[in-house]
Amino acid sequence: MAEHDSAGWVNPCPAAGESRMFLVGLSGGIASGKSMVVAVFRELGCAVIDADVIARQVVQPHFLAYQQIVHYFGTEILLESGEINREALGNIIFSHPKKRQVLNSITHPEIQKEMLKQIFKYFVLGYRYVILDIPLLFETNKLTKFMKHTILVYCDPQTQLSRLMKRNGLSQSEAEARIASQLPLDEKRKLATHVIDNSGDWESTRRHVLKLHGQLEDSLDFLLVRLAAVTALAGIGGAVCFLLRHFVS
């Protein structure tokens, strides 16, 4: 029977075979070019779950997280429309680490629930692997144990600084402060199983993405036949356990 860990993720049932859908965690740093790399994976037809998009969804009115956030931070963080003013909330948590922790404790369980729903959908559709685009994958270090592979979109520090200054119109000190709020890319690359270096020209980066996608696609057998077989042999209850085992492998 599946169990839940302290982070709310489902732990796998005992292994019954080697062929399984797996999860790939993808992260980067501010201005490292992660969004461009994700766009290539999407062009290739990969399943990508964007944690940022889900994070924006779960704080919409009528969601539990929205109610908890307003209760803690007050109605002054709301826009006239009733939606949360993300810029105002961001300014609060940027300078108050404890309040950032409170916000994370509210939103992360809801984000993880929605991610698990989407993983289930892609499993049923027969995808070989699912990419989880998580900006703070290596900072939190709580979800990496569920990933068979982790990918870091890297660029050298000087390139990161100049890109951020140009993209956001920031001074050097402002850009350095934004970068310093994250774990350095050189530290993250030590934690990743794959590193896509986006310091140079874009065509080189694109070729690296294409090569990595090919490696991931070739790393296991297709899945739908096994899913049908397990459903037929073990019944609905056994199939559910089988599915859950694959979600976090």
Side-chain angles (χ1 to χ4, degrees), residues 8 12 22 29 31 48 106 152 157 164 178-179 186 190 222-224:
F22 58 86
V48 180
I106 293 172
L152 173 70
L164 181 58
R178 296 280 185 93
I179 293 172
D186 284 324
K190 299 175 184 177
F222 203 55
L223 190 60
L224 290 178

Side-chain angles (χ1 to χ4, degrees), residues 60-89:
Q60 292 298 309
H62 310 304
F63 281 82
L64 176 61
Y66 171 91
Q67 299 171 16
Q68 294 175 331
I69 291 169
V70 174
H71 177 75
Y72 182 84
F73 290 94
T75 56
E76 60 268 21
I77 65 167
L78 298 180
L79 298 168
E80 291 184 4
S81 64
E83 295 184 349
I84 292 174
N85 185 330
R86 292 174 59 84
E87 183 178 355
L89 183 59

